[in-house]
Amino acid sequence: MTLRQLAESARSKAHAPYSNFHVGVALETVDGQTFVGANMENASYPEGWCAETTAIAHMQMAAPGARIKRVLVLGQGEGVLTPCGGCRQRLSEFSSADTLVECTNLKGDTRTFRMDELLPAAFDLDPSH
């Protein structure tokens, strides 16, 4: 399956009864493994989590230390859907500056970013940066 197909399948499993905004994410690791995630809302609205968070958690649980090569974020609405600020930071911690993040919507509008374009000044625990 393509990353788009995987993200579509994940999106169909989103739990978004409050916003009705379903998001699916598929990511591919440097060694070719794929992981997916969907957004999960709950009644304590700010305590839900994004699709990127779910995909990263699945990756880390199955393949500790894996690094992300590519990400596809699929959402509804007009224009492309980019990851929120928190997810940009989460993605950056498991990827590199040249990791590709493909942002798309249901109509197929797409824009691809490098990770360092999405989050040029990511938090980094390396004191030399």
Side-chain angles (χ1 to χ4, degrees):
M1 292 179 84
T2 66
L3 286 185
R4 169 90 188 198
Q5 291 168 324
L6 290 168
E8 287 172 349
S9 177
R11 185 180 171 280
S12 73
K13 297 171 181 75
H15 179 72
Y18 306 100
S19 70
N20 201 32
F21 193 86
H22 299 83
V23 179
V25 166
L27 62 84
E28 179 185 2
T29 63
V30 172
D31 64 358
Q33 296 181 77
T34 56
F35 298 93
V36 298
N39 56 316
M40 299 289 153
E41 297 176 352
N42 63 56
S44 179
Y45 193 67
E47 297 304 317
W49 60 89
C50 300
E52 295 88 345
T53 303
T54 306
I56 291 168
H58 286 156
M59 178 190 77
Q60 183 61 19
M61 295 299 294
R67 304 295 295 167
I68 301 170
K69 176 182 174 183
R70 298 186 307 146
V71 180
L72 187 137
V73 180
L74 172 64
Q76 60 206 59
E78 297 298 317
V80 298
L81 175 68
T82 61
C84 72
C87 285
R88 292 176 191 204
Q89 179 63 39
R90 287 180 195 94
L91 288 167
S92 76
E93 293 194 22
F94 293 93
S95 64
S96 62
D98 62 351
T99 294
L100 298 178
V101 182
E102 185 177 339
C103 303
T104 188
N105 63 16
L106 298 176
K107 295 187 316 184
D109 300 325
T110 302
R111 182 163 175 203
T112 302
F113 301 87
R114 286 172 38 109
M115 190 68 238
D116 60 355
E117 290 177 290
L118 279 178
L119 190 63
F123 289 103
D124 186 345
L125 295 179
D126 183 346
S128 67
H129 292 158

